[in-house]
Amino acid sequence: MAASVSAFPASVVPLAPEDPLFGLSTAYRADDFKQKVDLGVGAYRDDNAKPWVLPVVKKAEEILRSDPELNHEYLPITGLPAFTSAAARVILGADSPALKEKRVTSVQTISGTGAVHLGALFLSKFYPRHSSQPIYLSNPTWANHNQIFSNVNLPIQTYPYFLPSTKGLDFDGMLFALRAAPEGSIILLHACAHNPTGVDPTQEQWKEIATVVRAKRHFPFFDCAYQGFASGSLANDAWALRYFISEGFELCVAQSFAKNFGLYGERAGCFHFVVAPCPDAQDTTKRISSQLAILQRSEISNPPIHGARIASLILNDEKLFAEWEDNLRTMSGRVIDMRKALRQKLENMGTPGTWKHITEQIGMFSFTGLNELQVQKLREDAHVYMTKNGRISMAGLNSRNIDYFAKAVDKVVRETTS
């Protein structure tokens, strides 16, 4: 009998590289050093370095468990209506003109990743553009953005965002690139707590960005993974998106409830499309909604129910909503406290360089300014795990490890600074 041969040899299906973040987590778990520090994980940790189930989420789960009518039937294709409508109010604002004018369509997705994908797929099929016209992503951006948009055959270009010399926003470079982009380009914008840099534009800068986007007739695609988690205020963290809507932009937004509800494994998210305020806006909204449903049906049929039920219960109950806001302030407050403490410790030790960017940045992540060599030495010498570009998860720091980390950084910076 002749030996069978696979139709998928290495020349056709090469071995894919390991995802850097998941590889980092694997290496951290395998390390038996007692003082090891994990600053790569993109999830909130409490002061004991443990995952934190939000108290309000625990309450919601108890309410759901005691409901005798609860079942496990399929959701509608576009998700749990009570969840998607509440999600839209949270991110767009209950008084949003777009909601009042019924020119928003919302689809429950597999968290924020699924929302970005659904938006990317829709735009690749329906957004009028030249086949070679790219989508513009910030440099740097969340690594998965590149794969998601590439997988639906949207070419990628980048606009400057992070300025290493100041460890802040390259605002001039960003505006120059947006002006130079072909008219009608899709522009991916982080609504708040930019990942991976933690650098956000000011409100005045957002207004200037909007002016350029309007002048070039670009299409804004907002990705919002940290609403309420960044500043502790849902309204503050949604300001940029709401400003664009108030200015009459047609746009879409990917919304995640992983970070701000701690529902990482439940994959609860939404994709919202906001139609321009034109005479046929409601008809356009219905047509877009119908196509989004077709795309969703072909990929996942129906979204998962448990996380959506939890979030929906909290978002639609006044008392639970208020407790959720308090939980958000707890998480964001601890991260802000860690920023202040780290900066103070490095400055008190006289660590070479400037460290004010630690507190000027916002959200879960900070671009420390540490280079790849320094990151490698931190891992080899101090068992500190972080991405090679110097990004750290501030949620990985706590009162038990921050002294150890600060001293390790001080030592490595001194050893590698000429």
Side-chain angles (χ1 to χ4, degrees), residues 306-324:
H306 186 62
R309 278 176 168 160
I310 292 170
S312 178
L313 186 59
I314 295 167
L315 294 175
N316 288 291
D317 183 283
E318 187 176 342
K319 289 184 178 179
L320 293 178
F321 190 96
E323 185 174 348
W324 175 49

Side-chain angles (χ1 to χ4, degrees), residues 307-358:
R309 278 176 168 160
I310 292 170
S312 178
L313 186 59
I314 295 167
L315 294 175
N316 288 291
D317 183 283
E318 187 176 342
K319 289 184 178 179
L320 293 178
F321 190 96
E323 185 174 348
W324 175 49
E325 290 184 299
D326 187 58
N327 292 170
L328 285 170
R329 286 188 287 269
T330 296
M331 291 190 290
S332 61
R334 198 187 82 74
V335 169
I336 291 169
D337 286 345
M338 288 299 100
R339 288 185 178 277
K340 292 176 181 176
L342 178 59
R343 175 182 173 179
Q344 184 176 43
K345 290 178 187 299
L346 292 172
E347 289 179 344
N348 287 349
M349 287 187 290
T351 306
T354 59
W355 301 98
K356 64 180 182 178
H357 59 281
I358 299 294

Side-chain angles (χ1 to χ4, degrees), residues 172-225:
D172 291 339
M174 179 182 183
L175 290 187
F176 182 85
L178 296 184
R179 290 190 184 103
E183 184 172 293
S185 294
I186 303 166
I187 311 296
L188 194 286
L189 300 164
H190 297 231
C192 66
H194 183 272
N195 180 6
T197 68
V199 174
D200 284 355
T202 65
Q203 290 186 4
E204 290 305 310
Q205 288 173 329
W206 273 119
K207 290 178 180 179
E208 291 189 56
I209 292 167
T211 298
V212 173
V213 171
R214 178 181 296 285
K216 292 302 300 271
R217 301 180 183 273
H218 295 327
F219 182 86
F221 188 148
F222 280 89
D223 188 3
C224 187

Side-chain angles (χ1 to χ4, degrees), residues 31-48:
D31 191 337
D32 58 6
F33 185 70
K34 288 185 178 180
Q35 286 185 282
K36 63 182 180 179
V37 180
D38 181 9
L39 300 181
V41 63
Y44 181 78
R45 296 291 181 262
D46 65 16
D47 198 52
N48 296 309

Side-chain angles (χ1 to χ4, degrees), residues 33 35 38 66 68 75 102 127 154 159 199 206 219 234 245 263 265 272 300 315 351 361 366-367 376 389 399:
F33 185 70
Q35 286 185 282
D38 181 9
S66 63
L75 284 177
K102 298 181 179 179
Y127 184 65
L154 282 174
Y159 57 85
V199 174
W206 273 119
F219 182 86
L234 293 165
I245 293 172
L263 295 174
H272 309 279
I300 65 171
L315 294 175
T351 306
Q361 296 168 4
S366 175
F367 243 34
Q376 186 64 32
N389 60 9
S399 60

Side-chain angles (χ1 to χ4, degrees), residues 160-173:
Y161 192 84
F162 184 75
L163 193 61
S165 60
T166 64
K167 302 179 183 66
L169 180 65
D170 185 357
F171 186 57
D172 291 339

Side-chain angles (χ1 to χ4, degrees), residues 241-259:
L241 170 65
R242 294 179 185 181
Y243 176 76
F244 271 66
I245 293 172
S246 72
E247 291 294 299
F249 280 91
E250 187 162 61
L251 55 80
C252 62
V253 56
Q255 179 185 26
S256 170
F257 289 98
K259 307 296 191 300

